[in-house]
Amino acid sequence: MKTLGRIFLLSCIFLIGSSCLLNANNVQITSGVTLTGQDVTNDYIYVTFDIAWDNSWRDATNWDAVWVFFKFSNNNAWKHGYLSTDKTEYSIGTNNGVVPAFSVGSTTVGSGSNGMGVFIYRNAEGAGSVNWQTVKLKWYYGQNGLNDEQAANASIKLFAIEMVYVPTASFELGCGSTGGFFTRNYANSTTTYSTIPSYYYTIGSESAINARGEQVSGSSGGFLSWSNYYSATTIPASFPKGYAAFYCMKYEITQEQYVEFLNSLQPAQQSSRVSAVTVGKYMSSASTTESPQYRNGIRCMVVPTTTTAGTWGCDLNGNGTCGESDDGQNVACNYIRWSDAIAYADWAGLRPMTELEYEKASKGSEHIPAQYAWGTVNVSAVTSISNSGKADEVSGTVGANAVYSNQAGVQGPMRVGCFATGVSSRESAGASYYGIMELSGNVAEQTVYVTSTFDGVAGDGELYSNGNTDISTWTVGISYRGGSWASDASSLQSGYRSSTSSGECNGFRCVRTAQ
């Protein structure tokens, strides 16, 4: 069987022939990935590896998890591997005292349901390090159209993304600040709409928004957009309203994660997903950028042609050598357009987050007027950076807990999770109610606004040949939540909504409905 080398990032990826292991936010694949235990009668083989991470937790409410998926290739065109949809067909050889649990994320592809990936997490309450050896994920390669020999000799890229489980629970929509959802005060039927809601809307079920017969358009109550009514008359049952459980990326997409996304695409797909398609040029809103703009260090190293894929790397220090210790691999990726965001989500077998889910992930059961994601009204800006571009990049400003206000000593997003330490409080770490990082500040969260077309379906792992998502229901209107490194403080509030944002400020994170 083919043994694969490894490289690790926030999204772990393993490449043939590499022996370099880069630690980022503590998740590591601690051995090479192998293909073992092939069954030629039933057309499956196991993707086998070891995985470890620090500061894992599970309590009575939620837990952290890792979303694991892989791409395979026989001819340098990477395709999504379909895993078993039966979680009992996964195993861990040695758990070192922490019993694991699996949850499969499946998506309908053609006429069947295929496993896009698997969430791996603690089976019981506890906290501390996880070290799981001989993890075995069953790959039904016949579903990918491979014969036995092709599967046994396939090249593999394995990815792992840190996620947080957001449980089924009620939450309060609205935050009592200018710019949030416009809601009507039902205690007084003559009260007009206000930019400062006096009524928090409880979403206590998946049908709660329409429980009183409110409309999303019209004048009888409900929710309004920034200046016009939404086009939908009701919110459909399939629209994710935040009440139901979902997994959310713990961090915003990093520059290294976006690089590995680019490097697994075909040439035409690559060219549509990044501005820099000339050697030496950097990702930005233009194709001719010769130096990092607003701390985006993604650089084209090999130009894509009509037949050969290009290569990108992280070179924040600008010396022409990618992947050095200060090249910004773990800095949140900006310049992500909506078309890029949904392509990444589709490719990863995940989906975009709705703005109702954003408020749930941020506030949980809290509803403090004008609060930030960490549950208070206190916020302090980073004014300088220590260990710039490195894996331990942190704020150089004592007491800072958010990246915002366009500070001269920052001028761009910072490393994801940069405020969290082993002793930090929720407020000082900038953590949300459920332990999700940087939902206020750093880069703007692009979310789906309330619409009748978005149905919450997850990605199928594949893109059109032009690099766009093949999920038609994802081409929708969006809102920008949580503010960014260039925003003022009020834009960071959990209930603040904006209809506009600029490219250097825009990032993204994915979610997936829990199954």
Side-chain angles (χ1 to χ4, degrees), residues 167-171 203-204 242-245 360 434:
T168 299
S170 300
F171 68 103
I203 297 185
Y243 174 79
K360 163 80 168 293
Y434 292 109

Side-chain angles (χ1 to χ4, degrees), residues 10 63 89 180 237 289 299 356 378 429-430 446-447 456 461 477:
L10 259 176
W63 55 83
E89 295 188 324
T289 304
R299 193 173 195 177
L356 305 186
N378 304 319
Q446 299 181 69
T447 63

Side-chain angles (χ1 to χ4, degrees), residues 14 55 125 133 179 218 229 256 343 378 447 496:
F14 303 86
N55 303 313
E125 292 184 29
Q133 298 169 347
Y229 297 119
E256 185 70 2
N378 304 319
T447 63
Y496 186 88

Side-chain angles (χ1 to χ4, degrees), residues 162-453:
E162 292 183 77
M163 309 286 285
V164 173
Y165 176 76
V166 179
T168 299
S170 300
F171 68 103
E172 306 293 330
L173 189 65
C175 79
S177 63
T178 301
F181 273 107
F182 293 5
T183 59
R184 192 166 186 168
N185 184 346
Y186 282 88
N188 181 349
S189 62
T190 64
T191 300
T192 58
Y193 293 104
S194 171
T195 57
I196 303 179
S198 55
Y199 179 78
Y200 290 97
Y201 195 100
T202 301
I203 297 185
S205 72
E206 278 297 280
S207 59
I209 288 180
N210 294 319
R212 290 194 183 94
E214 289 96 338
Q215 294 179 321
V216 183
S217 67
S219 58
S220 60
F223 303 100
L224 300 177
S225 64
W226 299 274
S227 59
N228 300 302
Y229 297 119
Y230 286 113
S231 59
T233 56
T234 59
I235 302 173
S238 58
F239 184 86
K241 303 171 186 66
Y243 174 79
F246 61 96
Y247 284 92
C248 179
M249 285 179 63
K250 185 176 183 180
Y251 307 103
E252 296 148 335
I253 293 172
T254 66
Q255 293 181 26
E256 185 70 2
Q257 284 178 312
Y258 200 77
V259 159
E260 297 304 345
F261 163 62
L262 292 173
N263 289 344
S264 71
L265 301 181
Q266 297 178 33
Q269 295 173 325
Q270 293 176 323
S271 297
S272 66
R273 296 280 65 89
V274 67
S275 61
V277 290
T278 302
V279 169
K281 299 300 188 288
Y282 282 85
M283 180 176 177
S284 71
S285 56
S287 62
T288 56
T289 304
E290 297 184 350
S291 61
Q293 300 294 301
Y294 301 107
R295 307 202 76 225
N296 190 308
I298 296 178
R299 193 173 195 177
C300 181
M301 307 306 293
V302 177
V303 177
T305 68
T306 55
T307 58
T308 306
T311 304
W312 286 260
C314 293
D315 186 25
L316 185 61
N317 66 23
N319 68 359
T321 301
C322 290
E324 295 176 313
S325 63
D326 60 347
D327 273 332
Q329 290 91 330
N330 301 315
V331 174
C333 189
N334 49 355
Y335 289 108
I336 295 181
R337 301 164 298 181
W338 181 246
S339 58
D340 303 324
I342 57 179
Y344 183 96
D346 190 359
W347 167 86
L350 301 171
R351 67 166 172 83
M353 175 167 51
T354 71
E355 58 176 332
L356 305 186
E357 290 174 316
Y358 168 83
E359 291 208 23
K360 163 80 168 293
S362 178
K363 299 185 298 180
S365 62
E366 301 166 335
H367 51 278
I368 302 169
Q371 74 173 70
Y372 300 101
W374 42 88
T376 74
V377 296
N378 304 319
V379 63
S380 180
V382 177
T383 59
S384 64
I385 300 174
S386 296
N387 306 322
S388 179
K390 296 185 177 181
D392 59 351
E393 176 178 289
V394 293
S395 166
T397 309
V398 175
N401 68 343
V403 187
Y404 73 101
S405 193
N406 196 16
Q407 295 291 327
V410 181
Q411 290 289 290
M414 288 184 60
R415 174 180 67 87
V416 298
C418 64
F419 301 108
T421 69
V423 297
S424 56
S425 65
R426 177 183 161 192
E427 180 180 287
S428 63
S432 82
Y433 183 88
Y434 292 109
I436 301 167
M437 310 304 294
E438 286 89 48
L439 282 173
S440 291
N442 216 30
V443 289
E445 309 284 343
Q446 299 181 69
T447 63
V448 179
Y449 72 37
V450 180
T451 173
S452 62
T453 59

Side-chain angles (χ1 to χ4, degrees), residues 34-111:
T34 58
L35 296 173
T36 62
Q38 185 173 22
D39 185 324
V40 298
T41 301
N42 296 298
D43 290 342
Y44 69 75
I45 196 168
Y46 288 100
V47 179
T48 305
F49 57 95
D50 299 343
I51 190 170
W53 72 92
D54 297 328
N55 303 313
S56 170
W57 88 89
R58 179 167 184 164
D59 57 29
T61 303
N62 73 317
W63 55 83
D64 70 332
V66 175
W67 171 248
V68 179
F69 63 99
F70 76 97
K71 307 287 179 175
F72 72 91
S73 175
N74 292 105
N75 58 4
N76 294 322
W78 297 99
K79 301 292 185 182
H80 202 92
Y82 297 148
L83 293 168
S84 169
T85 58
D86 182 355
K87 65 182 180 181
T88 65
E89 295 188 324
Y90 299 128
S91 65
I92 290 178
T94 304
N95 64 33
N96 291 306
V98 180
V99 178
F102 300 94
S103 178
V104 181
S106 58
T107 298
T108 299
V109 180
S111 59

